[in-house]
Amino acid sequence: MSIFKKKIKVLLYGNVHGAYRCENLLKFLLDSGYYVSFVYPDFYLRGRGRQTFFTQFIRKVFSKFYLIELFVKAALADVIYVLPMSANFIQSALWVSKIFKNKVVIEPYISMYDTYVRNKDDIQEGSKAAKEILKKDILAFTKTDYIIHLSAYELAYWAKVLDVELGQNKVFIAPLFTESRLSLKRQFMGDGILNICWWGTILPLHGVDNILQAMKILKEKEIPFTCNLFGAYGSGYAERFHAYEKKIKEEELSDRVFLRKDLKFSDGSLPKYLVENCDLALGVFGNNERARNSATPNKLVESLAMGIPTLNMNFPGLKEFFDPEVDFWTCEPTGESIAQTILTIVNGTAPPVDWEQTRLKALNTFSLTRYQEVVTKVLDKVEDDLQRE
């Protein structure tokens, strides 16, 4: 715990979508002695299920009170720190910053326009809602004072999508971080069966369809394997989960491929299972533009930090932090390529990888310490800016 208080006051603004990153940010700021407060819009916007007419009315009246809280706290703050995946609130953050001369820092984590309009098809391109999201994205990337993001490569891609220029003096890169203390215990195919694992949000972006196609090919070639797909909760989760359950059954893969929701990272049950049972972790295999221009995937960082042999699609962004030809196995994002690469792994003809060396590289590169250093550097620059004004 810091003995001396910092001079600046930090107002965290947004909803806690990336809980692991947000909770570590809050703890670090408090431990470092910053004065910290929090405006959490979802506290006002989310209801409690069944309510009376009176409570519904009161909730509707109070639903915008977070803007009042923002106004009051911004008057006392030095910097408004927009939390990961909270760029939806950028207009109100910039509005109060003009009044009270706050600096604005943002961790975008995603481009809303690229994610919800161009890749998820949640919002029709060209619609009023799409134009509103595009406007917010442009504001987030061009009007804020500092940007902290996972990847320079991904930011450059978003700049092209949004047709904006990013001032490089305001961009700071703080990649994903993992504090994994677990490492692989299982001997490769110790029981004669290849146990393949995948985890994450079940989206086309992640290439689950390509993985299922690969599993079908492996079954046809009579490779002894099981494949556990651990689906993470998210928007539209139930519908996608049931759709893939149906697809697995239709492809006659139910005896080899298991779609599961019983284990998760948040309680430690999934990492424990992986280090004890997983022979091969699969990463991202989406064959669309978004997948080819993304930051390093969470699941790749997580698996490598545990020393689990890993196969991921090859795309240029991987080279920002890794040597894909040396640090892990790669292939093209097609079912055929995934299956053929797995065959070489089973047969022992895949390129050799020093998984312990890769594990140490992942832990050093994707570390909480690195994230804390970047946050400190940005807030130090904020303090310098304020002193010069």
Side-chain angles (χ1 to χ4, degrees), residues 39-227:
V39 176
Y40 185 24
D42 259 4
F43 182 84
Y44 298 89
L45 299 173
R46 294 295 174 93
R48 284 199 313 264
R50 291 190 65 183
Q51 300 181 65
T52 66
F53 173 80
F54 177 73
T55 58
Q56 287 178 342
F57 173 76
I58 292 297
R59 193 176 74 83
K60 187 174 182 179
V61 171
F62 288 171
S63 65
K64 297 299 182 184
F65 268 39
Y66 73 89
L67 293 173
I68 298 175
E69 184 183 6
L70 172 65
F71 190 86
V72 172
K73 291 184 175 180
L76 304 172
D78 297 302
V79 56
I80 300 172
Y81 197 121
V82 182
L83 292 171
M85 296 181 70
S86 292
N88 188 48
F89 303 105
I90 192 61
Q91 289 170 303
S92 51
L94 292 172
W95 174 67
V96 294
S97 72
K98 288 181 180 178
I99 298 173
F100 299 115
K101 307 303 180 185
N102 315 98
K103 296 298 177 181
V104 179
V105 176
I106 188 168
E107 285 200 48
Y109 204 85
I110 63 168
S111 157
M112 295 187 297
Y113 184 77
D114 188 44
T115 300
Y116 300 121
V117 179
R118 300 181 76 243
N119 284 284
K120 280 191 180 179
D121 295 325
D122 291 345
I123 298 172
Q124 182 71 34
E125 195 159 3
S127 66
K128 182 179 179 182
K131 291 177 182 177
E132 183 65 22
I133 283 181
L134 177 60
K135 177 183 177 182
K136 289 179 179 180
D137 257 359
I138 292 174
L139 288 173
F141 289 114
T142 62
K143 298 301 181 182
T144 50
D145 295 286
Y146 296 104
I147 297 171
I148 298 176
H149 188 54
L150 311 174
S151 161
Y153 183 87
E154 187 172 51
L155 271 182
Y157 164 68
W158 286 343
K160 292 179 181 178
V161 169
L162 303 173
D163 193 22
V164 299
E165 290 187 12
L166 300 178
Q168 292 307 306
N169 60 336
K170 75 175 194 177
V171 171
F172 293 81
I173 302 303
L176 296 165
F177 53 84
T178 176
E179 296 299 296
S180 176
R181 292 176 174 81
L182 299 177
S183 59
L184 185 65
K185 300 177 182 178
R186 177 176 166 86
Q187 181 183 357
F188 184 76
M189 294 185 68
D191 54 4
I193 297 173
L194 178 69
N195 191 359
I196 302 168
C197 297
W198 177 93
W199 58 95
T201 308
I202 306 172
L203 293 171
L205 171 67
H206 294 157
V208 178
D209 293 283
N210 290 328
I211 291 173
L212 292 180
Q213 185 184 358
M215 297 306 104
K216 187 175 182 179
I217 294 171
L218 292 178
K219 183 177 180 179
E220 291 170 352
K221 292 185 178 295
E222 299 183 349
I223 301 298
F225 78 93
T226 60
C227 179

Side-chain angles (χ1 to χ4, degrees), residues 152-336:
Y153 183 87
E154 187 172 51
L155 271 182
Y157 164 68
W158 286 343
K160 292 179 181 178
V161 169
L162 303 173
D163 193 22
V164 299
E165 290 187 12
L166 300 178
Q168 292 307 306
N169 60 336
K170 75 175 194 177
V171 171
F172 293 81
I173 302 303
L176 296 165
F177 53 84
T178 176
E179 296 299 296
S180 176
R181 292 176 174 81
L182 299 177
S183 59
L184 185 65
K185 300 177 182 178
R186 177 176 166 86
Q187 181 183 357
F188 184 76
M189 294 185 68
D191 54 4
I193 297 173
L194 178 69
N195 191 359
I196 302 168
C197 297
W198 177 93
W199 58 95
T201 308
I202 306 172
L203 293 171
L205 171 67
H206 294 157
V208 178
D209 293 283
N210 290 328
I211 291 173
L212 292 180
Q213 185 184 358
M215 297 306 104
K216 187 175 182 179
I217 294 171
L218 292 178
K219 183 177 180 179
E220 291 170 352
K221 292 185 178 295
E222 299 183 349
I223 301 298
F225 78 93
T226 60
C227 179
N228 288 279
L229 307 175
F230 296 94
Y233 182 80
S235 176
Y237 168 78
E239 293 83 355
R240 289 194 300 272
F241 195 91
H242 291 312
Y244 277 106
E245 277 186 325
K246 182 179 179 181
K247 183 167 185 176
I248 289 169
K249 186 176 181 179
E250 290 174 346
E251 297 289 347
E252 299 182 350
L253 289 170
S254 300
D255 61 330
R256 300 293 188 93
V257 179
F258 307 98
L259 192 55
R260 300 175 59 174
K261 51 186 175 182
D262 56 320
L263 304 179
K264 58 187 76 172
F265 264 87
S266 59
D267 62 6
S269 58
L270 181 52
K272 183 175 185 297
Y273 173 88
L274 293 172
V275 297
E276 293 176 353
N277 298 280
C278 184
D279 292 306
L280 177 66
L282 298 181
V284 170
F285 299 97
N287 47 13
N288 56 18
E289 183 184 8
R290 176 71 185 90
R292 292 190 295 271
N293 290 279
S294 64
T296 304
N298 291 56
K299 58 181 64 62
L300 179 62
V301 173
E302 291 159 351
S303 63
L304 295 180
M306 290 184 282
I308 300 172
T310 305
L311 174 63
N312 197 83
M313 67 177 280
N314 202 349
F315 64 93
L318 293 175
K319 295 180 181 178
E320 186 171 349
F321 303 111
F322 286 112
D323 183 347
E325 304 304 320
V326 174
D327 295 328
F328 45 87
W329 292 312
T330 62
C331 66
E332 294 303 307
T334 67
E336 294 84 355

